[in-house]
Amino acid sequence: MTSTGQPPSLKRRDAPLTKEGDQLTITPLGAGNEVGRSCVYMTYKSKTVLFDCGIHPAYSGMAALPYFDEIDPSTIDVLLITHFHLDHAASLPYFLEKTTFRGRVFMTHATKAIYKLLLTDYVKVSKVSVEDMLFDEQDIGRSMDKIEVIDFHQTVEVNGIKFWCYTAGHVLGAAMFMVDIAGVRVLYTGDYSREEDRHLRAAELPQFSPDICVIESTYGVQLHQPRHIREKRFTDVIHSTVSQGGRVLIPAFALGRAQELLLILDEYWSSHPELHNVPIYYASPLAKKCMAVYQTYILSMNERIRTQFANSNPFKFKHISPLNSIEEFSDVGPSVVMASPGGLQSGLSRQLFDKWCSDKKNSCVIPGYVVEGTLAKTIINEPKEVTLMNGLMAPLNMQVHYISFSAHADYAQTSTFLKELMPPNIILVHGEANEMGRLKQKLITEFTDGNTKIITPKNCQSVEMYFSSEKMAKTIGRLAEKTPDVGETVSGVLVKKGFTYQIMAPDDLHIFSQLSTANITQRITIPFTGAFGVIKHRLEQIYESVESSTDEESGVPTLRVHDSVTVKQDSDRHISLHWTSDPISDMVSDSIVALVLNISREIPKVVVESEAIKTEEENGKKAEKVIHALLVSLFGDVKLGDNGKLMVSVDGNVAHLDKQSGDVESENEGLKERVKTAFRRIQSAVNPIPLSSS
Amino acid sequence: MGTSVQVTPLCGVYNENPLSYLVSIDGFNFLIDCGWNDLFDPSLLQPLSRVASTVDAVLLSHSDTLHLGALPYAMKQFGLSAPFYSTEPVHRLGLLTMYDHYLSRKQVSDFDLFSLDDIDAAFQSITRLTYSQNYHLSGKGEGIVIAPHVAGHLLGGTVWKITKDGEDVIYAVDFNRRKEKHLNGTVLESFVRPAVLITDAYNALNNQPPKPQRERDRDFVGGGNVLLPVDTAGRVLELLLVLEENWSLKSLNFPIYFVTYVSASTIDYVKSFLEWMSDAIAKSFETSRDNAFLLKNIKLLTSKSELDSVSDGPKVILASMASLEAGFSHDIFVEWAADVKNLVLFTERGQFGTLARMLQADPPPKAVKVTMSGRVPLTGEELIAYEEEQNRLKKEEALKASLIKEEESKASLATDVNSSDPMVIDTHNKHPSLDGLGQHGSRFRDVLIDGFVPPSSSVAPMFPFYDNTSDWDDFGEVINPDDYVIKDEDMDQGAMRTGGDMDGKLDEGSASLILDTTPSKVISNELTVQVKSSLVYMDYEGRSDGRSVKSILAHVAPLKLVLVHGSAEATEHLKQHCLKHVCPHVYAPQIEETIDVTSDLCAYKVQLSEKLMSNVLFKKLGDYEIAWVDAEVGKTENDMLSLLPISTPAPPHKSVVVGDLKMADFKQFLASKGVKVEFAAGALRCGEYVTLRKVGVASQKGGGSGTQQIIIEGPLCEDYYKIREYLYSQFYLL
């Protein structure tokens, strides 16, 4: 990987030299130059890993899926899910149940626990709007059985693919995966944040630098305000709105950042008693269900929350009450409502928005990243009018504030993260095309040494890289007693397990591996009544080394042939052969068996001859047929004439052929000679050895 | 060439004393486990005290006293200051176990071997790892990778794998193969042929009865009470789940109480350790969000007063300590032992030399001597005496303080540079006190009074005023850079400090004990308790039994085996067994005897050149791929040995037959091919005439030839060749 600024085409030309197996391909099937439906496909050394399996929240049905038809799901070994958000995990039930995928799926404990609740909710919500459901609740249930859990830092190995995960900070249970295939490391960050907040830890910095870093670029070159300033703006907006008698709508996705905002609000309310008469509602039954998960997996959270947990559960809010539906909501006086979905596409947040948008006392706080194409994105630009759900236009008078709490890395975090890691290859995903482009340009100016390549593939656009991995082997055991000098030879068994190689002597195989060796001793008895000396004589004609001795136990004579097979006269009627299996000994023994049988055959001659006669007759008939057929092919019209002669007629000339003697009678000399020669040749082909000599 | 490995037991060999071993790998000293017994006998720690300062890292395997009890003491007394590694549950539950011990002891004696602060301090510096996390040590231990793996037995229990240069040293004690209600079985069996395995012989002679017998069904004979002496946060979790389930299934309504000083926080923490528990528990949480440790039938008690208020009538009490030496179990036992209706149910073998062990003897003793001690508030004369003493101390102190202050105020009036705070000086006055805890309040009062003692130089009482004069040098005021350090961290630090202190979330009962300011003293009286209640021992200790230990050892087949922790007989028994069936190198060192288990393995690394590899055809065999290579040694640019294709024709080699033939499998295979097969006299008869035999079965995996000898014999016939063909198909020929 030393191509300093060479165009990629040069790389391609090298390709045929390196082996196919050294090519590492990364293809975003989703989230390439877009935000949503994260799905990155990676293959190296015929091992295949898929990162994330999301849907695009702005589309519905099949259109929301990543481009799964670009790949063969059955070839994927491992599927790793970074966190539970829909754009990272929601196509998983589809992928597990409706495709040929047979690999293993991993996610963290907390992710798995929330995944089920979240998707069940997603199915319920989208049932109303979408006809072509991608999956149903049964599919989710079945997918749960297939998902395996992995703890942070735990190293798992599947088919020689090693992987482990680091805290990503984005939401509860969010992970960054490091995959190690044959020593090439790829880090997939998923969504990550390097800033510690109220309940989550900051993303860890892996202690190994990866060869490739697939990193999110949601916020491109933007910079976040410091946390306390954002929190202050957030609480100030809410405080001033409610104190003026307005209502605050916070459209937020039910899980993840919402918990953080609730922690902020609950704390703020606790320290401001004057606000106690203003209710805060949290309209998400789903989040209520997930609270058990938040209360359980405190180990995935930061020290702060664990400290609080020691005293009381910080997720038992004192000032926030749940709200199940808009019917329950009595809209009198100021209030703060946090409702999903975050994009204001439909549901409760939209209902409230429609209700409140024309009053300028009200405000709407958009607390996180909003996807292109949603209403939330539209109102950030503060249009004069908006379209309500019932299709009517209404003036947008409420104040719209965009205060980002979404735990994605900003430019400062991204660049320091990458500078610490110094990966030679950076692949940007999960970012809107313009943002991504700007980020790329800015990163290029930062990494001026030129050794870092920054790539922004579009969906289905493959990035190919070559890693000429050196294969190292460890020679161990008896074979390694002496380190050899240059020019000496090394012979042994090469054992490959996963991507590690060992060379060892065959005798050591059972010590260093679970393999064992075997010796197969064969003993075969053959009936033989003749003299043992005959066998010895015949063997000596074939083999160079025939040693005779006597068996120590029984005193019977033995022969050792070719130093591998022992022939022993067991009794007057039998001899036995033994040897240890290997291809050469097997061959030697087979020849001895044949030889012994031949000797035996010569003695009872009658049997042999009768057989021979029979075959001779058969042979004769066969030969005649063959002769006839060959003559036909040569001369065309060949008939069996009277007195057993063959009539060959060519262009009106006729030749008579006597099959026994080979005499040919014909008026045409030319034909006569040709038939004669043909017959002689046929004869010599059919009966190569004249019968008389036998 | 191999990595040098030395093992020195510090405690717990040839007996069942606590575990503590020093393992040195290429000069890097690991202290693995740091245990103490329930009697807290400092003499056991002698060997540790001698090496404590040389330890580079401490690995903890389980959260009970036998594995980590000596940690606070060793940190304080022996200067053990190495970083600690453990799993989160071992850290957390270990901390609670130590709290419980301390509180139980403090209640009944002037326990001064270590204090709560020592415990906190000891557990603060732990690095927490998760299972299968490969942690790369840095600095002196560069190149060493440590990884905890599931051991079973206790929540978070660890089998430590220490790897250097591809050689594994595995420390596995108290593992459990059987999957339990809350724990998965150990993964020890997944390790194959480690260079060194250190394991215990604790259970070598114990064989568990088959499972059905163990299923408990407890009758309440005539309304008696049941006492289960348990540990603080280890096996008790399994027992709780078993009881909880039984009670729900059979809808029993006898109350169950779980009494330790830390029971409430134990369960609180355990609820958040789902990641570490069995798959079944994780699954039930994922699907229904039912946390298994939301105990419905079991009440948690944390103090004596709560226990006393429990209504009479039959009940089950789980109380710590398991040894009956201290804690609630001790008191309850003394109270209940005399009643024949009661039952004391032991679930694990008691530690050697403890009351529990005595009671488990066969036949159980008729009567045992126990020391009942208690902390009683001082009354009458004693109280008066104490108060006088306190007053005297107070006066002395006040006098001293005022003297100091006098001096000080003089000093400050003289604008001498001394800006120290009177509070600071006050705290320097160490009170020789009867009860360090009781002192707390009074000292505080002193401070308050101090503040109002009029300086002798003043006319009227006034607030003391000290001029904080600042130093000047040639450049102006002396700047202390520390003053300008942004104290941003402070808040977090502070929060964490309190967090650390409150980590244990001391339950009210225990908290009151600590903050108890009423003067008290410890009284002890020895009494003899008639043991009339029935004593039952049920094995719930959650360790693999002798048989399964042996089979695991045979499977793991280490190159070298070190045996520790177990009675002399058990150790000797297992040693003999392993010498015969596991490997030829079995060691059972004595305390402080250093044995060298450096592997005599030779190894060197070579690079496999591309040219060579393109000619190699691998054959796949299970997880492995194998091939025969003949290669010529060459050198690469960076002076590495590399293997190149051989230039001369390869010398012939003896062919190697690789594979493991299982006669039973082969029989099935033949049967599926339509050959008539049966076992007869140790041989497999195939068809009419051919017999197949395995001789000299390689029972000793580590040594010997390790090669299977298979004999096939028969007369010359078609069957013979057919069966030979099938036999060959089971192997790979190289």
Side-chain angles (χ1 to χ4, degrees), chain A residues 19 22 109 112-113 116-117 144-145 147 149 151-156 162 196 207-208 288-293 295-300 303-304 306-307 309-312 469-498 501 503-504 506-507 509-527 579-583 586 589-590 593 597, chain B residues 88 92 128 130-134 136 165-167 192-193 268-269 271-276 282-283 285-287 289 291 495-496 498-499 502-503 505 555 559 601-610 613-614 616 618 621 623-635 638 640-641 643 646 648 651 654-660 701-717 720-721 724 727-728 731 733-734:
Chain A
K19 278 179 77 181
D22 291 340
H109 287 84
K112 189 177 176 191
K116 189 189 173 205
L117 294 166
M144 282 297 280
D145 297 333
I147 298 170
V149 283
D151 209 347
F152 290 102
H153 303 123
Q154 179 187 355
T155 309
V156 178
K162 265 189 259 174
E196 178 160 328
Q207 73 261 48
F208 309 108
K288 230 167 81 193
K289 287 186 203 157
C290 289
M291 269 311 148
V293 181
Q295 287 163 14
T296 301
Y297 291 111
I298 54 153
L299 291 190
S300 313
E303 289 293 336
R304 194 189 122 100
R306 286 152 82 169
T307 312
F309 178 83
N311 300 315
S312 73
S469 62
E470 273 186 1
K471 293 192 187 77
M472 295 301 297
K474 206 171 154 187
T475 314
I476 48 173
R478 272 168 251 191
L479 206 58
E481 270 161 15
K482 191 177 134 294
T483 310
D485 292 328
V486 174
E488 286 183 50
T489 57
V490 172
S491 301
V493 185
L494 181 63
V495 179
K496 178 185 176 197
K497 190 184 184 193
Y501 295 88
I503 301 174
M504 57 187 89
D507 295 342
L509 205 56
H510 68 280
I511 298 178
F512 301 110
S513 71
Q514 279 163 300
L515 301 170
S516 51
T517 51
N519 269 333
I520 301 175
T521 312
Q522 306 197 33
R523 213 170 80 122
I524 191 165
T525 45
I526 309 164
W579 73 98
T580 306
S581 287
D582 78 63
D586 282 2
S589 78
D590 284 351
V593 169
L597 287 183
Chain B
E88 173 87 30
R92 197 55 78 176
R128 292 174 291 237
T130 51
Y131 284 145
S132 320
Q133 175 180 355
N134 294 324
H136 297 255
D165 292 338
E167 273 178 53
V192 184
R193 304 221 65 97
D268 268 358
Y269 275 116
K271 270 188 226 162
S272 67
F273 287 144
L274 288 194
E275 294 103 312
W276 302 85
K283 200 166 172 192
F285 181 75
E286 279 154 9
T287 48
R289 296 186 307 290
N291 197 316
M496 273 167 69
T498 44
M502 288 307 289
D503 260 354
K505 207 211 271 184
H555 185 89
L559 299 179
L601 188 72
C602 313
Y604 60 87
K605 282 197 160 179
V606 286
Q607 190 202 17
L608 300 170
S609 66
E610 206 53 56
M613 292 310 284
S614 57
V616 171
F618 280 105
L621 228 149
D623 286 346
Y624 294 94
E625 286 177 63
I626 50 172
W628 182 270
V629 282
D630 290 304
E632 205 171 278
V633 178
K635 277 240 159 73
N638 37 14
M640 282 283 303
L641 288 179
L643 294 185
I646 198 154
T648 53
K654 199 165 166 285
S655 62
V656 188
V657 182
V658 185
D660 191 4
K701 278 200 166 175
S705 64
T707 304
Q708 309 177 67
Q709 301 291 343
I710 293 159
I711 295 179
I712 175 170
E713 50 188 0
L716 180 69
C717 60
Y720 181 88
Y721 288 97
R724 192 178 77 175
L727 182 65
Y728 281 179
F731 291 98
L733 195 78
L734 291 178

Side-chain angles (χ1 to χ4, degrees), chain B residues 54-75:
Chain B
T54 65
V55 170
D56 296 305
V58 183
L59 308 181
L60 302 176
S61 62
H62 292 281
S63 59
D64 55 359
T65 18
L66 278 180
H67 293 92
L68 51 70
L71 210 49
Y73 189 73
M75 289 270 288

Side-chain angles (χ1 to χ4, degrees), chain A residues 264-291:
Chain A
I264 296 174
L265 284 177
D266 200 49
E267 206 168 284
Y268 190 75
W269 249 241
S270 298
S271 54
H272 290 79
E274 72 272 20
L275 291 172
H276 283 188
N277 56 344
V278 179
I280 309 176
Y281 293 108
Y282 182 28
S284 172
L286 171 65
K288 230 167 81 193
K289 287 186 203 157
C290 289
M291 269 311 148

